[in-house]
Each structure stands twice: as structure tokens, then as C-alpha cells.
Amino acid sequence: MTPSRRALLAAAGGSAAFAEAVIAGSRRLFPNPLLTTHDGRPVRLYDDFIRGRFVLINFAYTRCKGKCPRGLSILLATRRLLAPRLGCEPALVTLTLDPDNDTPEVLGRYVASHGAPRGWTCVTGGAGDLERVRRFLGFTDPDPRVDADRSQHGSLVAMGDDVRGRWQVASTQAGAEPLAQLALRTAGAWRPRSPAAQASCAGSHG
């Protein structure tokens, strides 16, 4: 690690707050905040959900009456389409946009209301930590007024293959089948239950 990276990690509160990752051939400091899952477990975002895995990440909040319900439905359908190609349903991590309201207990009821599918985890945490992740993934609007309005948030999903350092961001409104095809390209898994696909599912959370 270079001196400048060590200084940045120290300024951010220690090495655990960020993790070094390779994204598109470049080394980056990936946010690795301490978060809490819908079932009350403490986790580190990168260490527990991303390192060495293929993962889907989105933002939502339980009181959303707009894009969240449809986006979530599409993502859960996307996972089902991917299962026969990847050998498992990839992990889906949903970070809340409303940490003041979305406590672990609230998130637990939210997950249960959707049938508690295995491999889907909702997480909450400090507002600053969640915002850091949102901005790192590029889930922002260029208009600061729109960006600050939670009800106008984009219905986006980040698809990440940490082994290959490949990431894509797409709109969930594209639909389950187009998202599944993009996920397969990101994971480098074109044939059913290929070695590349099996490796992408290794150690999936949940």
C-alpha cells in the first residue's frame, strides 16, 4: 500500500473503513462500513458481501411507494433467472436510504413481507456511511435538489464481480431478462453452471 493510501485510510478512521479492491484494472478504496443486517448481525459491506463474490447491490427504503417495490420485484426475478446459469441465486444487498426509520426490526418485517428469500439481505447503518457507499457506486443525480429528494431516487442496481474486478450499473426498470443478461456478461458466465459461474457464487452470504 502506498503512503498516500495509508494516509487516506487513516483519515477515514482506520483500515476497516475501506478495503482495497481492483475495479476495471485500477486499485480503488471501496467503502467497507460497519452495518447492521435486517436480522441484527453486524457486517462489513465489502468484507462480508463483496470480497471474492459476485453480488447485486441496490438502495431502497421501506416506506417508498414509488420505484422501490417494482425495482425490488424485478431484482428478485433477475436472481431466479440467474440461478440455473450461475448455479445459485446471487446475493442481493439492499442498503436503506432512510436509516432513521429503517431499523433492523423494520427491515426484518420488510424482508419477511416479501417471503424472506435466501440470499437477500437488507442493511442499515450510519447515514454518512450509507451516503459514502451511494456516491461511490454512482447512484446520484447531477441536480443536487433531485439528489437530496429521497422520493426521486433512481432505481439502480450495481452488479459486481470482485474476482474479475468488473462492475456494471443499470436501471432495474430495464426488466429482469435484460438485467440477467448483463449480469452474466459481468460475471463472465455464458454457459450453465460453468466454472466461472461456480466461482462467482462461492461464499455467497445468507
Side-chain angles (χ1 to χ4, degrees), residues 35-43 103-105 107-108 121-122:
L35 304 171
T36 304
T37 67
H38 66 266
D39 53 1
R41 291 178 292 117
V43 291
T103 63
E105 294 77 16
L107 292 175
T121 307
C122 285

Side-chain angles (χ1 to χ4, degrees), residues 37-188:
T37 67
H38 66 266
D39 53 1
R41 291 178 292 117
V43 291
R44 288 278 178 185
L45 178 64
Y46 185 85
D47 291 341
D48 290 305
F49 294 110
I50 298 171
R51 189 184 301 278
R53 301 177 175 92
F54 178 79
V55 66
L56 307 176
I57 301 175
N58 75 315
F59 276 83
Y61 62 108
T62 61
R63 295 189 291 181
C64 178
K65 304 301 182 184
K67 298 175 182 177
C68 296
R70 174 171 165 76
L72 174 59
S73 176
I74 290 171
L75 288 175
L76 294 176
T78 300
R79 295 177 71 230
R80 292 192 292 270
L81 290 174
L82 288 170
R85 297 293 298 272
L86 294 178
C88 73
E89 292 186 0
L92 169 63
V93 182
T94 298
L95 293 87
T96 182
L97 288 165
D98 186 13
D100 290 338
N101 175 74
D102 287 343
T103 63
E105 294 77 16
V106 170
L107 292 175
R109 292 193 294 271
Y110 184 67
V111 171
S113 72
H114 288 84
R118 180 176 174 82
W120 175 38
T121 307
C122 285
V123 295
T124 188
D129 290 332
L130 294 165
E131 179 68 2
R132 189 174 298 113
V133 176
R134 187 178 74 90
R135 292 192 171 278
F136 180 84
L137 293 175
F139 288 13
T140 58
D141 192 282
D143 185 332
R145 291 173 298 179
V146 173
D147 193 59
D149 184 351
R150 192 167 50 221
S151 68
Q152 297 192 55
H153 77 93
S155 184
L156 302 173
V157 58
M159 307 174 179
D161 183 339
D162 186 59
V163 174
R164 297 166 186 79
R166 298 170 67 175
W167 285 80
Q168 299 277 356
V169 174
S171 170
T172 62
Q173 306 307 302
E177 181 60 36
L179 288 179
Q181 292 299 323
L182 181 59
L184 289 170
R185 289 196 294 272
T186 305

Side-chain angles (χ1 to χ4, degrees), residues 6-45:
R6 283 195 294 268
L8 180 56
L9 289 172
S15 59
F18 288 86
E20 282 202 293
V22 176
I23 300 176
S26 299
R27 290 196 172 276
R28 301 281 303 278
L29 292 178
F30 203 111
N32 190 32
L34 183 63
L35 304 171
T36 304
T37 67
H38 66 266
D39 53 1
R41 291 178 292 117
V43 291
R44 288 278 178 185
L45 178 64

